[in-house]
């Protein structure tokens, strides 16, 4: 009786494992499903005494934008008030502008005589 029970359990386990193995649909053949829905626009701004370069940047509304700042000369930052962008020194920020329009990118670090000239424009179309 005991042997029969063990055999039954063993058989049950084998069948269970076999069923599981059969259910395991392998995910091959699905090569590189190219759903590149998240296109990120990259903006690289270089700051020097006393300009931001480039001065005009165009992006599309509703698309994610990654903005990076590099200080070529001096110590500067950039901010865009309406889009909650605030980078002091060097760094990057990511935002998604929803409203088309023109936004001012300005230096947020009092850097000297030409500080007020340090602006650029972000055009969201
Ligand atoms: Cu400045």
């Amino acid at each position: 009786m005991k042997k029969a029970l063990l055999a039954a359990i063993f058989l049950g386990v084998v069948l269970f494992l076999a069923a599981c193995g059969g259910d395991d649909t392998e995910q091959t053949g699905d090569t590189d499903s190219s759903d590149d829905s998240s296109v990120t626009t990259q903006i690289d701004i270089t700051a020097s005494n006393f300009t931001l370069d480039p001065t005009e940047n165009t992006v599309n509304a509703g698309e994610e934008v990654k903005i990076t700042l590099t200080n070529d000369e001096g110590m500067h930052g950039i901010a865009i008030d309406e889009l909650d962008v605030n980078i002091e020194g060097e760094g990057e920020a990511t935002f998604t502008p929803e409203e088309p329009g023109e936004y001012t990118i300005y230096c947020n670090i009092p850097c000297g005589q030409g500080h007020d000239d340090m602006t650029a424009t972000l055009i969201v179309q």
Side-chain angles (χ1 to χ4, degrees):
M1 278 301 269
K2 230 179 177 182
K3 263 188 182 170
L5 187 64
L6 281 174
I9 290 170
F10 180 69
L11 193 67
V13 169
V14 168
L15 286 173
F16 179 70
L17 288 175
C20 273
D23 259 353
D24 197 16
T25 46
E26 282 185 49
Q27 300 199 332
T28 50
D30 196 309
T31 48
D32 240 76
S33 51
S34 51
D35 54 317
D36 269 304
S37 53
S38 57
V39 184
T40 304
T41 308
Q42 176 89 40
I43 295 178
D44 295 306
I45 292 187
T46 304
S48 58
N49 294 335
F50 293 93
T51 51
L52 295 175
D53 179 60
T55 52
E56 208 172 278
N57 306 272
T58 306
V59 299
N60 294 320
E63 281 183 13
E64 190 178 68
V65 179
K66 187 171 163 189
I67 190 166
T68 64
L69 175 68
T70 306
N71 281 315
D72 212 25
E73 180 189 22
M75 174 70 175
H76 309 282
I78 49 172
I80 308 170
D81 287 341
E82 300 90 336
L83 298 167
D84 272 333
V85 173
N86 195 46
I87 304 171
E88 290 187 12
E90 300 196 323
E92 61 180 52
T94 305
F95 61 94
T96 305
E98 301 292 350
E99 289 281 316
E102 284 192 22
Y103 300 82
T104 301
I105 305 169
Y106 65 93
C107 177
N108 58 358
I109 297 178
C111 53
Q113 287 235 308
H115 175 66
D116 290 342
D117 297 329
M118 295 194 63
T119 59
T121 307
L122 177 77
I123 299 165
V124 179
Q125 61 185 9

